[in-house]
Amino acid sequence: MDAEQSFYQHIAQTSDHPMGLVVDKAEGPFIFTRDGKRYVDFISGIAVSSLGHRHPSVIEAVQQQLNKHLHVMVYGEFIQEPQSKYAELLTRQLPPQLDRVYFVNSGTEANEGALKLSKKHTGRHHFVAFRHGYHGDTHGSLSVTGRDVYRDPYLPLLPDVEFLEFNSPEMLESIDNKTAAVILEPIQGEGGIIPADREWLRAVRERCSEVGALLIFDEIQTGFYRTGTLFAFQHYGVVPDILCLAKAMAGGMPMGAFVSSSKIFEGFKQDPPLNHVTTFGGHPVSCAAACATLSELLKGDFGTKARHIEQKIKSTLDHPAIREIRGRGAMLGMELEEAERTRQVVEDCFAEGIILGWTLHSNTLVRLAPPLIMEDALLDDTLHTIMDILDRHW
Ligand code: PLP
């Protein structure tokens, strides 16, 4: 049985229509299929491959770590150099109160940890989240995800979650002295690329501080220069109590983290000890990859690159079919007039070797999130092909 047959017969499917690309290898901004076709990855494996695929520094770091050790112990017991080195490098980029990192394996695990940590620290169990927010598919993260269509099949979820309108100042008094935490994405990703308003985000921060609720920023998609700054909270000048990270963190290796203060993390050490552990969180190979990724990102002026990509995309994709291009940096969404033709555009791009996609919650929004290493010539070519395909349908 070849890989394709096995995929359809033995791999649990997530929809009736998988994209079904038969991947052979990937390099830089490209994915190559087994039959030799080249695709431009214009969504970075959903905001992961910011440095492109198989960045040489990441590959080298992984290989070096492979020669030393793989898993040696569950999280939090042994001192492993890649973890310590990365935690130091990461926290050096953050405001001083975000000085402790808890490593996990994925985005949803980072959010799970953040929710539990908030309960433990505040002794409260009420959460505030936002409509159209997306935080992952495990039970806790799903409980604070703001789309009923995804939540309803799995009810009951966490009982004490209240959803407010994103960017709406009206209901902020719902955040009160019973609230353990408020969780939000500074730029909603799967909800349709919706940036928070600066004043609103500041008001949320103020309200949380006023009532002693923790503020959790899910920067799983927005992190690591995707939006033009290392983290999106830097656009806003608003610092969360807990910062959740994953996706682009380790250059294509599985990795997540939630970052907070020593004081807040005290809760995880006692009552009882070991109340939040993970076997593979902070895997040494992933940490080595994360270290190489962040070092490369810091060297490369990737904030400027993300902003340059934004400007190029916004100025080139000028077409009557486009209602709006929104988002920041290289995390953009192109809103088209109508769902069926949007689907055709994405399909035609795919046929022409350009990988685009939707966001999870919107079928008229085309996700544009190229790797930050993409050169102008390839960017221009890709954008002109997208324009030609829009012409075909409108
Ligand atoms: N949070 C946000 C904002 C996301 O975009 C995602 C994934 O798309 C997640 C959480 C879940 O991350 P993971 O798929 O690594 O569990």
Side-chain angles (χ1 to χ4, degrees):
M1 190 180 285
D2 70 7
E4 198 170 350
Q5 283 171 320
S6 173
F7 174 81
Y8 289 107
Q9 281 187 34
H10 296 299
I11 292 190
Q13 299 290 312
T14 55
S15 83
D16 285 329
H17 307 286
M19 291 165 91
L21 208 77
V22 185
V23 178
D24 180 33
K25 57 186 183 183
E27 198 79 52
F30 302 117
I31 296 176
F32 299 88
T33 55
R34 206 176 44 192
D35 55 9
K37 188 165 174 186
R38 192 188 82 171
Y39 287 82
V40 178
D41 184 356
F42 219 66
I43 51 177
S44 305
I46 317 290
V48 171
S49 320
S50 293
L51 286 175
H53 296 277
R54 294 187 76 252
H55 190 282
S57 303
V58 176
I59 299 295
E60 194 192 333
V62 166
Q63 280 167 345
Q64 277 181 13
Q65 186 54 38
L66 289 178
N67 291 333
K68 288 188 174 165
H69 64 91
L70 302 179
H71 173 83
V72 283
M73 185 50 170
V74 299
Y75 184 76
E77 297 293 340
F78 290 178
I79 297 162
Q80 301 177 48
E81 194 182 325
Q83 285 182 350
S84 303
K85 215 172 128 190
Y86 183 56
E88 190 193 341
L89 180 64
L90 178 62
T91 51
R92 230 192 289 142
Q93 319 309 320
L94 293 169
Q97 62 270 45
L98 296 174
D99 66 343
R100 291 267 167 172
V101 187
Y102 192 114
F103 291 123
V104 290
N105 307 284
S106 66
T108 197
E109 274 179 81
N111 288 331
E112 294 287 341
L115 296 174
K116 275 181 77 182
L117 184 62
S118 312
K119 280 174 135 177
K120 200 75 192 336
H121 179 70
T122 59
R124 307 171 184 175
H125 50 79
H126 174 243
F127 290 104
V128 170
F130 294 90
R131 287 193 215 295
H132 302 289
Y134 177 71
H135 300 292
D137 284 342
T138 52
H139 271 85
S141 303
L142 186 58
S143 298
V144 290
T145 284
R147 273 292 296 276
D148 291 345
V149 64
Y150 290 98
R151 293 158 40 81
D152 285 353
Y154 299 101
L155 295 174
L157 292 166
L158 281 180
D160 210 359
V161 179
E162 188 174 351
F163 289 96
L164 307 183
E165 283 304 324
F166 195 66
N167 278 335
S168 163
E170 267 102 61
M171 290 181 66
L172 292 186
E173 68 280 4
S174 304
I175 303 165
D176 61 19
N177 60 10
K178 292 193 195 60
T179 310
V182 174
I183 182 166
L184 61 86
E185 302 151 87
I187 300 177
Q188 288 190 330
E190 299 314 305
I193 318 288
I194 304 165
D197 294 338
R198 174 188 287 267
E199 289 317 311
W200 176 79
L201 202 57
R202 291 189 169 174
V204 174
R205 171 70 276 181
E206 251 173 54
R207 182 70 186 161
C208 285
S209 302
E210 223 171 83
V211 298
L214 298 186
L215 180 58
I216 304 169
F217 278 0
D218 175 344
E219 291 232 30
I220 287 158
Q221 194 162 152
T222 51
F224 300 102
Y225 287 117
R226 173 76 19 213
T227 72
T229 48
L230 183 54
F231 300 107
F233 76 78
Q234 293 163 324
H235 290 299
Y236 294 93
V238 173
V239 179
D241 300 298
I242 307 179
L243 176 67
C244 295
L245 304 170
K247 283 196 180 278
M249 189 169 206
M253 292 294 287
M255 175 105 173
F258 52 113
V259 187
S260 189
S261 67
S262 312
K263 188 168 158 223
I264 291 173
F265 267 119
E266 278 298 301
F268 270 0
K269 285 200 321 205
Q270 61 233 354
D271 188 22
L274 303 178
N275 70 76
H276 191 77
V277 289
T278 159
T279 299
F280 284 125
H283 193 283
V285 178
S286 294
C287 284
C291 234
T293 303
L294 185 51
S295 304
E296 281 301 323
L297 285 170
L298 292 170
K299 265 195 284 184
D301 197 12
F302 280 93
T304 307
K305 286 190 179 136
R307 290 192 294 274
H308 174 72
I309 288 172
E310 172 182 356
Q311 179 270 322
K312 266 227 169 267
I313 290 179
K314 285 185 170 165
S315 59
T316 312
L317 293 182
D318 179 11
H319 194 279
I322 302 174
R323 273 199 206 144
E324 184 187 11
I325 296 181
R326 55 177 183 265
R328 279 191 102 141
M331 181 177 170
L332 300 175
M334 171 171 76
E335 182 86 53
L336 298 180
E337 287 288 336
E338 181 257 323
E340 177 49 27
R341 281 192 278 178
T342 306
R343 189 185 61 72
Q344 286 167 3
V345 166
V346 172
E347 272 180 18
D348 282 10
C349 283
F350 194 61
E352 303 240 354
I354 301 167
I355 301 175
L356 298 175
W358 292 268
T359 60
L360 208 51
H361 299 178
S362 168
N363 56 9
T364 50
L365 192 82
V366 179
R367 186 198 299 274
L368 307 167
L372 307 182
I373 46 107
M374 192 170 280
E375 307 261 332
D376 273 3
L378 181 62
L379 193 54
D380 286 338
D381 260 16
T382 308
L383 294 173
H384 288 128
T385 306
I386 295 172
M387 284 291 282
D388 290 346
I389 289 170
L390 285 171
D391 275 344
R392 219 182 273 167
H393 293 284
W394 267 272

